[in-house]
Amino acid sequence: MGKKIKKEAEPPPKDVFDPLSIESKKAATAVLMLQSPEEEILIKSCEALYKFAQKGDENKVTLLGLGAMESIAKLISHEDKVVRRNATMVCGVMAANNDVRKLLRKLDIIPSLIARLAPEEEIVIHEFATLCLSYMANEYTSKDQIFELNCLESIIRLFSSNDPDVKKNAVECIYLLVQDFQNRSAVCDLNAIPPLLELLKSEYPIIQLLALKTLGTLSCEEEARIIMQEKQALDHLLKILEAKELNDLHVEALLVIANCLDDVETVQALQQSGGLKRILTFAETSPMPDIQKNAAKAMAKAARNDEIRRFFHEQEAETSLVKMLGNENDSVKAAALLAISVMCENMASKEILNRNGISQIVALLKRENDGVKEAAAFALANLTTAYPNNARAVAEADGVNALINLLSDKKEDPVTNACTVLINMATQEPLRSIIQTHGVMHALVEPLRSANNMVLSKATLTVAAFACDGDSRTEFRNAGGLEPLVKLLSSNHDEVRRNACWALAVCANDELTAVELCKLGALDILQDLNLSSSRGNHFSELAYDKLLDNNLSLKYSQKGCLSYNNLLTNGFYDHGRIKPEAKLLSLEELCKQPLNQNRAIIIVNSRCPELASSVSPTPDEEKRESSSDLSQSSRSLSASKEKGRATTSSPVEEKPVSAGRSPLLSRGGSKDKPPSRGRVKGKKEEEKPREEDEVKVPEPVVMKQEWSPPYDQKLSDYIMEASKTILPLASVKERVVALAQFVAEKMGGLIDKYRLHEFNWELHMSDLKIQTQSNVIQIGKIKKGTFYHRALLFKVIADRIGIGCCLIRGDYGRAWNEVRLLDAPHQEGTRMSSPTTYIVDLMFNPGSLLKDNSAEADRYKYI
């Protein structure tokens, strides 16, 4: 037997690379190794890059710069499971960086990530794939791509995963996706709500919170609310509210409930099951301000529906809201006030809050927090609308001062709501008087200068509500409120312009205010508005007519009609008809014009200039004048001397002192010394003081005499004669007939209607113009008057002696008067008959009364 020989080992093939162990300390090297075809190197490189990226965002930026993501994106779909897993882990961590996500979108990585959600993949791959998708779902483009690829089902399927991280990432991804409305419907169709409700039972709070947030977004859709009602989702939510250990979920649970309360059927089911009462009790007693705030907001949102508001009222929601007003947190107060504002749409709720709540709301008007003040004003605006008892309760709670102070608030909404409350209170006379005494007219001036159209609209309405008496109009005028009000007539906002016209129409009831408005150009602006087909309105016409009522000359020239209430006074003149867009010159300007061939302007002025310019100051006026300048002091002294002289002279002999007369020229003794002491002695005793007075008193200031219209002595005589002869007559009809005959007698007597052309009144008027060298003729000087002369004289005298009549201008120089008379005297116990309108004949058969719309009346007016 031979000796055994040891077999030698075979050498490795020459074409095989010997194993090489490399230890790298640079991330760039690991990135380069991602290009290797060896799976072991890829596994180790991805693992190293994952650990490096986890350390911070700077490392992610470094890897992005080294070009790692291009290789990682390819390795996600590698055939080796471990390589896919490690590459997916790197991708999930790196996606937290915004720049990385931009690159991933360019690389179109979402289809690869969705493929990794397949059931056969490892849980770790599911975790990091969903993590990457949740990061990508923050951008709209990625959401849209996920929706188009029908990937929602794959994500929703992972709600039932055994791994909590996978559940968390999947729910978060769906939560971000349903922020887009098109994904909400798709999620509901995929039956995602039942598994979301199951996730509410998870032991991990973050999963519960994300599930609630997702349900809160989905519940904005009616389809989702129907499914939630079928699956009894509210029972799950109420259990969360009642579990004190889940207080971190209460806010989100309430938001879901708030959305569910938008459905009447849901609220009705809650009321029947007692769930609605449980929600109100929880909101009222919760120690967390956010919960109370959200509960109040939920009630405010749901109560916009009439049926739901009724359900809330039956559960005494108003009481819960009033209790919330006592919370120290201002956001809770504001939310409760908002809910009260909505509940006030129900009249029964207004009654409950009238007994308990208004005083607390009024007190909140004085809070420093702007949101609370605004919400309190809004609540009071709704509470007082169409409910006078609440308006009185606001006044009793001392809310007037607080509301007026709000008018100067810097924010628009409090001012608007305060105006609304004041308007509601102004409908009651006692409350309006109380508010007026607190200076509301002065406070309204500032809102009229606002740049906000809603503030301007409400402020002008408030002016219209309170400027209904003379004192308020005077206060408003003195406060400078007319100027901004007139400017608002030119507003481009229809409601502001309309309300400004209304306010101006109310203010124009006062003569002094109307005159001031005309000076500010209101009449011209209103005239332009009424000529416009788009900017004019009924209130602009009303305001224009109100201003014309204080400028009857312009009214008669434009409208051609003066009503029973338009009483002609001194200074009225008939210029004749003018076009609506034409401007009427003043009487002074017309009097100063040179003689022309136009028709004469007829003036009415029975006021004696001497009596108009006389001054008889009272002792109080003397005191006021003595404290002014020296010239006023001189006039006071002169008036005092005249008063002293009145002890010995009769009232008939006493002559009034002119306002412009120098006190040095006035005669009379001293007030302290009666004139019965003797003229010579009095002269000697007064020589020295009088010399001293002459030294002390400076030269009197010559006052510029104001222009006055020409005085009509004849018209004054006509009025006196009519007062003595016509006024004592028993019936109105007799007075009308007598006045018609009187006017006809003064204006040329009866005229034969077939010989009217021979009357020659035009020649008479031309003679008067030449005699007076003026285009303006006093009506009393006219001896041959035609229709419009006689009708004007009839109206002037009738207004002075208390006969109501209209003056109407016709065509071709015609004019006539209308009167209303009872055909038979009224008997006691019988119904009073309506008066009949008659046309007064002043030309052809003076004194005859022609029934209006009859053939005789039409012939008189038109033929």
Side-chain angles (χ1 to χ4, degrees):
M1 195 172 164
K3 187 177 178 180
K4 292 183 179 180
I5 301 173
K6 186 176 181 182
K7 189 177 181 180
E8 296 180 1
E10 296 182 3
K14 295 180 179 180
D15 59 346
V16 176
F17 183 79
D18 294 334
L20 176 66
S21 298
I22 299 175
E23 184 177 345
S24 176
K25 296 185 178 180
K26 296 291 183 179
T29 304
V31 172
L32 290 174
M33 291 170 65
L34 294 176
Q35 307 297 328
S36 173
E38 298 185 46
E39 295 173 355
E40 189 68 27
I41 293 176
L42 294 175
I43 292 170
K44 291 183 177 180
S45 298
C46 289
E47 184 177 356
L49 292 175
Y50 167 73
K51 294 178 180 178
F52 181 72
Q54 263 193 325
K55 294 179 180 180
D57 199 58
E58 294 179 356
N59 294 350
K60 297 181 180 69
V61 175
T62 300
L63 293 178
L64 177 64
L66 292 172
M69 295 312 300
E70 287 83 349
S71 301
I72 292 293
K74 295 176 182 179
L75 294 176
I76 287 177
S77 303
H78 199 276
E79 59 184 8
D80 185 79
K81 287 186 176 182
V82 181
V83 174
R84 291 201 305 269
R85 181 190 67 194
N86 291 355
T88 304
M89 292 171 63
V90 176
C91 190
V93 174
M94 289 289 291
N97 183 272
N98 185 47
D99 293 330
V100 172
R101 291 197 296 271
K102 290 180 181 179
L103 179 60
L104 291 177
R105 283 197 297 272
K106 292 180 181 180
L107 297 174
D108 194 22
I109 200 172
I110 289 180
S112 301
L113 291 172
I114 296 299
R116 302 287 71 78
L117 301 181
E120 61 270 13
E121 294 286 358
E122 296 180 6
I123 291 178
V124 176
I125 294 179
H126 289 168
E127 176 186 349
F128 285 94
T130 52
L131 177 63
C132 185
L133 285 171
S134 65
Y135 283 129
M136 298 294 290
N138 280 291
E139 283 81 18
Y140 174 77
T141 53
S142 298
K143 293 178 184 178
D144 188 56
Q145 187 177 9
I146 294 173
F147 175 77
E148 291 177 353
L149 293 173
N150 298 321
C151 305
L152 294 174
E153 186 176 4
S154 300
I155 302 173
I156 292 172
R157 187 175 59 245
L158 296 178
F159 286 176
S160 58
S161 173
N162 294 325
D163 187 80
D165 290 323
V166 175
K167 290 181 180 180
K168 180 260 181 187
N169 293 337
V171 175
E172 185 174 9
C173 185
I174 292 296
Y175 168 68
L176 294 171
L177 289 172
V178 296
Q179 303 305 312
D180 185 18
F181 71 94
Q182 65 179 356
N183 288 326
R184 297 176 192 172
S185 179
V187 168
C188 293
D189 294 340
L190 293 171
N191 201 27
I193 291 179
L196 282 171
L197 294 175
E198 287 298 320
L199 290 178
L200 296 179
K201 303 175 183 178
S202 173
E203 58 181 325
Y204 298 98
I206 184 61
I207 296 178
Q208 292 176 308
L209 182 62
L210 288 171
L212 281 173
K213 285 186 174 182
T214 307
L215 289 171
T217 305
L218 288 173
S219 59
C220 295
E221 301 296 326
E222 184 179 2
E223 181 184 0
R225 293 197 295 269
I226 294 173
I227 297 174
M228 291 174 67
Q229 184 179 359
E230 293 174 354
K231 301 299 180 181
Q232 299 180 345
L234 290 177
D235 291 340
H236 295 281
L237 298 172
L238 288 174
K239 289 178 182 178
I240 292 175
L241 291 180
E242 292 172 348
K244 294 182 179 180
E245 64 275 10
L246 299 178
N247 57 0
D248 55 329
L249 304 177
H250 288 172
V251 174
E252 296 298 333
L254 270 177
L255 291 177
V256 181
I257 293 174
N259 291 336
C260 293
L261 292 179
D262 286 348
D263 294 327
V264 178
E265 295 80 5
T266 303
V267 178
Q268 187 174 10
L270 279 173
Q271 186 195 29
Q272 293 173 356
S273 64
L276 190 59
K277 187 64 177 178
R278 288 158 62 190
I279 294 172
L280 293 174
T281 303
F282 171 77
E284 180 184 335
T285 58
S286 175
M288 298 177 62
D290 286 342
I291 291 176
Q292 290 191 316
K293 178 184 69 175
N294 290 333
K297 287 183 177 180
M299 293 174 61
K301 181 182 177 183
R304 293 189 178 96
N305 183 282
D306 295 339
E307 287 294 318
I308 296 176
R309 191 164 56 244
R310 181 173 62 83
F311 292 143
F312 279 141
H313 172 67
E314 292 174 358
Q315 297 297 325
E316 298 180 352
E318 300 91 348
T319 304
S320 300
L321 292 171
V322 170
K323 290 182 179 178
M324 288 185 192
L325 296 179
N327 194 292
E328 296 180 358
N329 189 283
D330 287 334
S331 61
V332 175
K333 288 185 173 72
L337 288 168
L338 180 62
I340 288 174
S341 304
V342 180
M343 289 295 296
C344 287
E345 297 293 328
N346 191 340
M347 298 300 290
S349 298
K350 290 183 179 181
E351 184 177 353
I352 291 176
L353 291 165
N354 175 264
R355 297 193 298 266
N356 180 25
I358 287 185
S359 57
Q360 290 178 257
I361 298 174
V362 169
L364 294 177
L365 289 175
K366 304 170 186 177
R367 298 278 295 188
E368 294 182 359
N369 186 278
D370 293 338
V372 174
K373 285 194 297 185
E374 179 180 340
F378 182 50
L380 289 177
N382 287 354
L383 277 167
T384 55
T385 299
Y387 204 82
N389 291 340
N390 286 346
R392 286 194 294 272
V394 172
E396 292 170 359
D398 195 22
V400 175
N401 280 330
L403 289 169
I404 292 178
N405 290 336
L406 274 184
L407 294 177
S408 58
D409 198 275
K410 295 179 180 179
K411 299 179 69 176
E412 292 88 1
D413 289 342
V415 179
T416 302
N417 294 325
C419 287
T420 303
V421 180
L422 292 172
I423 292 169
N424 294 335
M425 297 175 72
T427 57
Q428 303 177 59
E429 175 64 29
L431 299 184
R432 185 170 67 247
S433 301
I434 293 172
I435 296 171
Q436 287 168 339
T437 59
H438 287 74
V440 66
M441 301 308 294
H442 192 277
L444 283 170
V445 176
E446 185 176 349
L448 290 177
R449 296 189 173 98
S450 173
N452 183 275
N453 287 325
M454 184 58 68
V455 173
L456 294 175
S457 176
K458 290 296 183 181
T460 48
L461 275 181
T462 313
V463 172
F466 286 96
C468 50
D469 62 85
D471 292 339
S472 296
R473 289 191 288 268
T474 301
E475 181 184 352
F476 187 64
R477 185 177 67 249
N478 294 337
L482 296 181
E483 184 178 357
L485 183 61
V486 171
K487 289 181 179 179
L488 294 179
L489 296 177
S490 303
S491 172
N492 292 324
H493 193 273
D494 292 341
E495 187 176 355
V496 172
R497 191 169 60 251
R498 182 174 61 250
N499 293 346
C501 291
W502 186 2
L504 192 140
V506 176
C507 292
N509 286 313
D510 184 74
E511 183 177 356
L512 294 177
T513 306
V515 171
E516 186 65 26
L517 287 170
C518 291
K519 290 180 180 178
L520 293 170
L523 202 59
D524 296 336
I525 298 174
L526 288 170
Q527 186 174 353
D528 294 338
L529 285 179
N530 293 331
L531 290 174
S532 172
S533 59
S534 59
R535 294 173 61 83
N537 53 73
H538 293 302
F539 290 113
S540 65
E541 296 173 0
L542 174 64
Y544 187 67
D545 290 340
K546 287 286 186 180
L547 288 179
L548 286 183
D549 286 341
N550 291 281
N551 192 345
L552 296 181
S553 300
L554 179 59
K555 181 176 183 178
Y556 190 51
S557 295
Q558 285 193 349
K559 303 286 187 179
C561 178
L562 297 179
S563 66
Y564 295 90
N565 296 328
N566 298 141
L567 304 181
L568 297 185
T569 57
N570 295 318
F572 174 85
Y573 59 99
D574 178 13
H575 179 276
R577 181 177 289 142
I578 62 173
K579 295 181 180 180
E581 66 274 10
K583 306 300 180 184
L584 182 65
L585 297 178
S586 67
L587 183 58
E588 182 178 359
E589 292 172 328
L590 292 171
C591 288
K592 293 179 180 179
Q593 283 184 341
L595 200 62
N596 56 43
Q597 294 181 351
N598 298 334
R599 87 159 233 183
I601 293 124
I602 312 303
I603 182 177
V604 174
N605 184 30
S606 61
R607 182 189 299 167
C608 179
E610 295 180 0
L611 294 176
S613 61
S614 62
V615 178
S616 54
T618 63
D620 291 337
E621 290 174 342
E622 290 179 6
K623 291 180 181 179
R624 287 195 299 267
E625 289 176 352
S626 64
S627 63
S628 62
D629 56 50
L630 291 174
S631 62
Q632 290 176 329
S633 177
S634 305
R635 283 199 301 273
S636 177
L637 180 61
S638 174
S640 177
K641 291 178 180 179
E642 289 291 330
K643 184 177 179 182
R645 217 171 61 195
T647 56
T648 56
S649 59
S650 66
V652 178
E653 294 173 348
E654 182 181 353
K655 296 182 179 179
V657 180
S658 174
R661 185 177 177 183
S662 170
L664 299 178
L665 300 178
S666 62
R667 293 179 297 174
S670 173
K671 182 177 179 181
D672 296 328
K673 296 182 179 181
S676 58
R677 293 293 184 96
R679 296 178 65 185
V680 177
K681 185 178 180 180
K683 276 186 179 182
K684 291 180 179 179
E685 290 175 354
E686 291 178 3
E687 278 180 0
K688 188 174 180 181
R690 203 175 272 184
E691 289 174 1
E692 293 176 356
D693 289 344
E694 289 178 1
V695 173
K696 291 179 181 180
V697 178
E699 261 185 54
V701 178
V702 179
M703 303 297 292
K704 184 179 179 180
Q705 188 174 4
E706 293 185 1
W707 180 88
S708 59
Y711 170 59
D712 192 345
Q713 179 64 51
K714 282 289 184 181
L715 177 61
S716 180
D717 295 340
Y718 289 167
I719 295 171
M720 291 295 292
E721 183 178 351
S723 301
K724 292 178 181 178
T725 59
I726 299 174
L727 193 57
L729 296 178
S731 67
V732 176
K733 184 176 182 180
E734 291 175 352
R735 295 175 199 159
V736 171
V737 172
L739 179 58
Q741 295 171 350
F742 177 84
V743 169
E745 179 187 350
K746 302 300 182 183
M747 288 277 184
L750 183 147
I751 307 298
D752 187 349
K753 61 182 175 181
Y754 300 107
R755 305 183 66 179
L756 182 61
H757 60 282
E758 300 177 0
F759 188 45
N760 293 331
W761 61 272
E762 296 96 335
L763 183 60
H764 173 62
M765 296 302 297
S766 299
D767 291 340
L768 289 176
K769 288 174 66 176
I770 294 173
Q771 289 175 13
T772 59
Q773 288 297 301
S774 174
N775 299 313
V776 179
I777 304 298
Q778 297 99 314
I779 193 170
K781 290 186 176 182
I782 301 175
K783 302 304 178 186
K784 286 187 175 183
T786 186
F787 290 91
Y788 69 88
H789 299 133
R790 299 186 183 202
L792 177 58
L793 181 60
F794 184 92
K795 172 69 172 170
V796 171
I797 300 177
D799 288 345
R800 302 298 175 92
I801 64 175
I803 299 176
C805 73
C806 289
L807 174 61
I808 302 173
R809 189 197 305 279
D811 297 325
Y812 307 110
R814 297 292 177 105
W816 59 89
N817 302 102
E818 289 183 359
V819 294
R820 292 177 181 172
L821 301 173
L822 291 174
D823 293 330
H826 175 64
Q827 298 180 358
E828 293 185 6
T830 61
R831 185 177 180 180
M832 182 177 290
S833 59
S834 300
T836 304
T837 301
Y838 292 95
I839 306 299
V840 183
D841 189 343
L842 301 173
M843 293 286 291
F844 310 127
N845 186 16
S848 64
L849 302 178
L850 312 175
K851 187 172 291 188
D852 193 20
N853 296 325
S854 65
E856 295 84 358
D858 292 342
R859 280 195 294 271
Y860 181 81
K861 293 188 287 185
Y862 307 118
I863 301 176

